Amino acid sequence: MTWTAPDVEREPRRDMACGEREMLDDWLKLRRVFLLRKCAGLTAEQLKTASVEPSNLTLLGLMRHMTEVERFWFREKFLHEDLPELHITEEYEDGDFDLVADADAEADYAAFLAETAACDAAVAGIDLDELADDPGAPTGKVSLRWVYIHLLEEYAQHTGHADLIRERIDGATGA
């Protein structure tokens, strides 16, 4: 039997007058759902379909990339956890995008769900103003708030890509 990405229900909007942390958590969860909805109902082969030659941009690549991005910013960069790379190798710096042909889409989907849950748990209860050392930042510090905003920026960019890829695969549009 061929695996297909499951349908994902979009939850109704929650309190639109909530505090900043709840708002950022809600927006991040919504962006994750948008990406998963772009994958819903597609087979592993469809998820590996490139947007347009010569691009290597695929829905599976985007999912793998966002798994890496969340893991890097929340757990490695902010919390300084020492974690192995998931898809990136010395030979393939963009392995999340470049190595999808032989990837296990079902396992990558599960890894996305597991990593986003791990990230949520890892930063739960940490104040948005909390700072982490970051030698690459202009001030040498990064706030949790900045990490959230950066992730929302990443999702906004890549869910836009996902919209176009999905439309090319089967004509589906909308969130």
Side-chain angles (χ1 to χ4, degrees):
M1 187 164 126
T2 302
W3 179 82
T4 59
D7 193 20
V8 178
E9 290 298 318
R10 180 177 170 182
E11 294 180 16
R13 289 206 184 263
R14 297 191 8 198
D15 184 357
M16 293 172 67
C18 60
E20 182 182 18
R21 178 56 180 269
E22 184 180 354
M23 192 177 301
L24 290 172
D25 281 333
D26 285 350
W27 277 109
L28 183 56
K29 286 181 176 108
L30 183 62
R31 287 284 134 198
R32 292 168 178 163
V33 166
F34 283 173
L35 180 58
L36 293 176
R37 286 179 63 88
K38 288 298 165 185
C39 299
L42 297 179
T43 65
E45 287 310 308
Q46 289 173 310
L47 292 171
K48 296 175 184 181
T49 302
S51 57
V52 62
E53 302 248 345
S55 175
N56 66 346
L57 204 57
T58 65
L59 288 169
L60 184 60
L62 289 172
M63 184 185 311
R64 289 160 51 103
H65 177 67
M66 291 311 301
T67 304
E68 292 273 9
V69 167
E70 288 216 31
R71 180 183 183 96
F72 175 78
W73 280 103
F74 278 131
R75 297 178 60 205
E76 294 178 53
K77 192 79 156 171
F78 189 78
L79 295 173
H80 302 292
E81 292 182 23
D82 185 21
L83 302 170
E85 297 290 349
L86 297 174
H87 310 293
I88 297 169
T89 67
E90 283 187 31
E91 186 178 354
Y92 293 97
E93 188 175 301
D94 292 324
D96 42 1
F97 292 115
D98 294 341
L99 302 175
V100 298
D102 295 324
D104 181 337
E106 185 176 10
D108 287 336
Y109 190 97
F112 175 84
L113 296 177
E115 188 59 43
T116 56
C119 289
D120 287 345
V123 299
I126 299 176
D127 189 271
L128 292 172
D129 291 323
E130 184 77 26
L131 299 176
D133 291 329
D134 180 0
T139 63
K141 301 280 184 187
V142 63
S143 72
L144 183 57
R145 177 181 288 103
W146 189 94
V147 171
Y148 267 93
I149 298 298
H150 178 64
L151 284 169
L152 289 170
E153 171 193 33
E154 281 272 338
Y155 272 104
Q157 176 183 9
H158 293 311
T159 53
H161 295 137
D163 285 338
L164 297 172
I165 297 169
R166 179 62 189 251
E167 187 173 7
R168 183 171 185 275
I169 291 171
D170 67 358
T173 60

